[in-house]
């Protein structure tokens, strides 16, 4: 159970590998302490890793600590992304596996429809709607100029998330998510028309929604602090309903402030007020 | 660069009941390149949407693309 220290995680791993005389893919790395750079030498902490020789090489360890995470945020991100990966992969496989038969099903189901003399009643099937929406999304994003790989994640019975992977995230997201929100709305409308049950659709580009949620939480906290300090209500910028919802939900636990929304979509905005002054 | 007409088609056709009736004509005014969208009569409501939200979303996406054209793009939904 050898542990090693270094200025950064990478540094510590390298030291350990040198001592053990093993290549990196032969060891399991367990990070015990990530280390801190400190400020002018204050609060500096060494990075500590625990290296263990592998008996069977099942997975090749990627240099997860290549960019020695100094900030807690990037560390959390890295942890999240690695945690999310296996979770994300299974639906991907499913989606790929589904696509084939679902497509066929869509084709075979479409054919008999005109024969039934009810051409106006579309087939309302959730699975078909989900998979054809995937195809439409791939098509549309390619035409926008941001070719994407779309993976479906059926969160639960009433919620579907499409993960869009692209090189040009910014172009697809637009300013404050303008483009992706528009596309999400259209997808929602498509589902309202074509799915059998009520399904809520979310489009996520890369980790945009997570990033945005973090921004909104920060914004909400900042507004709450200002309200408590000054007693004056704070008006936030206009945002779409699901983002306002996140703000309301986040500040619902706060005992000192209340939130409500005013204005008409798309310029509806959240107002944070103090509970003390009583409005 | 981007095929605007194809994009509009790709956006609109999934939302209508009569995809075969969707037609786009193109015209040019002094400041805009105008795409006139024709859909079947009972599909117009679907394309405009409640409070025009669907139309607005389609426009947001269409106006957002790089066209490589000298003029701006405008999308008209032709009623009747």
């Amino acid at each position: 159970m050898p542990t090693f220290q270094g200025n950064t995680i990478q540094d510590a791993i390298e030291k350990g590998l040198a001592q053990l005389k093993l290549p990196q893919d032969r060891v399991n790395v367990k990070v015990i302490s990530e280390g801190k750079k400190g400020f002018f030498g204050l609060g500096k902490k060494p990075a500590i890793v625990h290296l263990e020789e592998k008996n069977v090489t099942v997975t090749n360890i990627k240099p997860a600590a290549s960019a020695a995470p100094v900030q807690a945020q990037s560390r959390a991100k890295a942890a999240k992304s690695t945690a999310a990966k296996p979770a994300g992969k299974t639906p991907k496989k499913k989606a790929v596996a589904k696509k084939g038969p679902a497509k066929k099903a869509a084709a075979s189901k479409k054919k008999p429809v005109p024969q039934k003399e009810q051409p106006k009643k579309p087939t309302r099937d959730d699975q078909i709607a989900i998979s054809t929406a995937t195809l439409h999304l791939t098509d549309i994003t390619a035409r926008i100029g941001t070719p994407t790989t779309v993976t479906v994640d059926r969160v639960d019975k009433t919620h579907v998330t499409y993960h869009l992977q692209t090189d040009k995230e910014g172009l697809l997201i637009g300013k404050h998510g303008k483009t992706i929100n528009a596309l999400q709305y259209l997808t929602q409308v498509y589902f309202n028309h074509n799915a059998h049950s009520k399904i809520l659709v979310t489009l996520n580009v890369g980790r945009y929604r997570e990033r945005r949620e973090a921004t909104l939480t920060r914004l909400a906290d900042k507004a709450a602090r200002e309200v408590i300090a000054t007693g004056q209500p704070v008006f936030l910028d206009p945002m779409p309903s699901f983002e306002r919802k996140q703000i309301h939900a986040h500040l619902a636990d706060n005992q000192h402030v209340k939130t409500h929304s005013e204005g008409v979509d798309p310029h509806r905005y959240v107002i944070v007020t103090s509970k003390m002054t009583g409005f | 660069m981007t095929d605007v007409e194809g994009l509009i088609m790709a956006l609109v056709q999934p939302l209508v009941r009569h995809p075969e009736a969707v037609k786009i004509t193109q015209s040019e005014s002094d400041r805009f390149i105008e795409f006139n969208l024709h859909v079947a009569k009972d599909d117009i409501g679907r394309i405009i949407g409640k409070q025009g939200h669907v139309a607005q979303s389609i426009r947001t996406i269409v106006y957002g693309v790089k066209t490589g054209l000298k003029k701006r793009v405008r999308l008209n939904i032709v009623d009747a």
Side-chain angles (χ1 to χ4, degrees):
Chain A
M1 290 263 216
T3 51
F4 301 93
Q5 287 191 5
N7 284 331
T8 63
I9 291 177
Q10 191 63 42
D11 197 28
I13 293 172
E14 271 163 22
K15 270 186 199 170
L17 294 174
Q19 270 195 35
L20 295 172
K21 293 185 182 110
L22 285 168
Q24 188 158 356
D25 54 349
R26 288 280 311 279
V27 292
N28 282 317
V29 180
K30 200 175 147 200
V31 178
I32 291 165
S33 162
E34 244 132 18
K36 274 181 187 164
K37 255 193 186 160
F39 191 67
F40 289 122
L42 292 172
K44 189 176 169 181
K45 274 186 195 164
I48 303 168
V49 293
H50 175 94
L51 299 184
E52 211 171 28
E53 192 180 351
K54 271 192 238 176
N55 298 325
V56 204
T57 44
V58 185
T59 49
N60 59 328
I61 293 179
K62 287 228 170 144
S66 57
V70 181
Q71 287 165 334
Q73 236 185 1
S74 61
R75 187 204 310 161
K77 233 185 198 173
K80 255 189 195 169
S81 67
T82 46
K85 253 180 199 167
K89 253 180 195 168
T90 33
K92 192 177 184 176
K93 266 183 204 161
K94 253 191 209 165
V96 172
K98 256 182 217 162
K99 236 182 224 173
K103 226 166 142 190
K104 268 181 212 160
S108 62
K109 275 216 174 170
K110 257 179 202 164
K111 266 180 201 163
V113 169
Q115 293 169 349
K116 271 187 206 163
E117 293 176 34
Q118 287 179 318
K120 287 209 172 173
K121 283 229 166 155
T123 46
R124 280 175 162 254
D125 187 295
D126 295 352
Q127 276 314 318
I128 292 172
I130 290 171
S131 51
T132 46
T134 316
L135 299 178
H136 288 313
L137 282 175
T138 323
D139 182 31
I140 291 166
T141 49
R143 284 170 192 276
I144 290 175
T146 54
T148 51
T149 47
V150 181
T151 52
V152 192
D153 186 5
R154 181 130 198 205
V155 182
D156 54 49
K157 232 178 164 204
T158 56
H159 200 143
V160 173
T161 306
Y162 288 95
H163 296 278
L164 312 180
Q165 291 292 332
T166 176
D167 297 338
K168 300 177 197 163
E169 283 189 7
L171 206 59
L172 185 57
I173 293 169
K175 194 182 181 188
H176 294 318
K178 205 172 92 177
T179 313
I180 194 64
N181 287 347
L183 196 56
Q184 175 173 301
Y185 182 74
L186 292 182
T187 318
Q188 182 68 65
V189 170
Y190 177 78
F191 268 84
N192 294 348
H193 286 332
N194 295 295
H196 174 67
S197 44
K198 236 183 191 171
I199 297 177
L200 195 68
V201 182
T202 313
L203 299 189
N204 195 357
V205 183
R207 302 192 60 74
Y208 171 70
R209 297 282 178 213
E210 288 83 351
R211 271 201 322 265
R212 185 78 186 145
E213 192 175 353
T215 313
L216 290 174
T217 339
R218 213 168 344 108
L219 196 75
D221 285 334
K222 202 176 144 197
R225 240 177 291 136
E226 204 177 314
V227 168
I228 293 165
T230 64
Q232 295 294 310
V234 168
F235 297 67
L236 298 178
D237 292 332
M239 46 183 93
S241 58
F242 54 90
E243 292 188 1
R244 289 198 307 275
K245 191 174 178 180
Q246 288 177 354
I247 302 248
H248 288 308
H250 182 69
L251 290 181
D253 310 332
N254 195 317
Q255 294 178 356
H256 308 291
V257 296
K258 282 194 292 191
T259 56
H260 69 278
S261 300
E262 265 179 28
V264 185
D265 261 329
H267 299 293
R268 204 165 155 80
Y269 50 89
V270 176
I271 302 174
V272 187
T273 54
S274 171
K275 268 187 186 169
M276 305 301 166
T277 46
F279 43 39
Chain B
M1 255 174 83
T2 315
D3 169 23
V4 181
E5 213 169 299
L7 173 64
I8 298 171
M9 278 291 189
L11 286 169
V12 169
Q13 280 184 335
L15 299 176
V16 295
R17 288 277 167 85
H18 308 285
E20 70 287 344
V22 179
K23 263 194 236 86
I24 297 171
T25 57
Q26 211 172 334
S27 63
E28 211 172 320
S29 60
D30 52 346
R31 290 180 58 197
F32 300 98
I33 294 178
E34 312 206 2
F35 292 86
N36 304 304
L37 174 65
H38 302 259
V39 294
K41 211 169 185 182
D42 55 333
D43 275 335
I44 284 183
R46 269 183 258 282
I47 270 326
I48 294 172
K50 246 188 218 167
Q51 307 288 321
H53 282 324
V54 176
Q56 196 187 24
S57 295
I58 295 172
R59 289 202 172 110
T60 303
I61 294 170
V62 173
Y63 297 169
V65 295
K66 281 185 191 162
T67 52
L69 304 168
K70 291 226 173 83
K71 291 177 186 174
R72 287 174 59 188
V73 170
R74 178 182 264 181
L75 175 63
N76 299 324
I77 294 164
V78 181
D79 189 2

